[in-house]
Amino acid sequence: MGIIRFILASSVIALHCNSLLGLRLVGGDIAVQAFYIISGFYMALVLDGKYNATNWNGYKLFIGNRLLKLYPIYWLTLFGVLFC
């Protein structure tokens, strides 16, 4: 599933760069939609399998881990934009 997501992300990059090494992959709109669909499926799979989302504690653990993974890069980017 990761390889498919990589190919779809590469398709979007190729669309923005007008070509990627001379290749034209899937169209940008289709690539973005497919990437979101696959990512949502993968997120639901992880939530159901690893975190036991049938109770509130598993859901809180999942959300906490996502915040710890995502927010540091947001703060770093904000700091870089404001102070560099």
Side-chain angles (χ1 to χ4, degrees):
M1 208 174 320
I3 293 173
I4 295 172
R5 288 175 45 194
F6 176 76
I7 291 171
L8 292 171
S10 298
S11 297
V12 174
I13 292 170
L15 180 72
H16 286 292
C17 295
N18 293 331
S19 69
L20 183 66
L21 301 175
L23 298 175
R24 296 292 299 181
L25 302 172
V26 178
D29 294 339
I30 294 171
V32 169
Q33 291 173 2
F35 182 85
Y36 281 138
I37 290 169
I38 292 172
S39 295
F41 172 75
Y42 186 64
M43 189 71 66
L45 189 67
V46 168
L47 180 60
D48 187 46
K50 183 177 178 182
Y51 292 100
N52 189 13
T54 58
N55 61 20
W56 182 245
N57 290 331
Y59 185 69
K60 285 193 308 188
L61 179 64
F62 173 75
I63 294 297
N65 285 345
R66 292 298 298 166
L67 291 176
L68 287 173
K69 182 177 181 181
L70 296 175
Y71 273 125
I73 193 68
Y74 291 148
W75 288 111
L76 185 65
T77 303
L78 180 64
F79 179 78
V81 167
L82 292 178
F83 299 110
C84 291

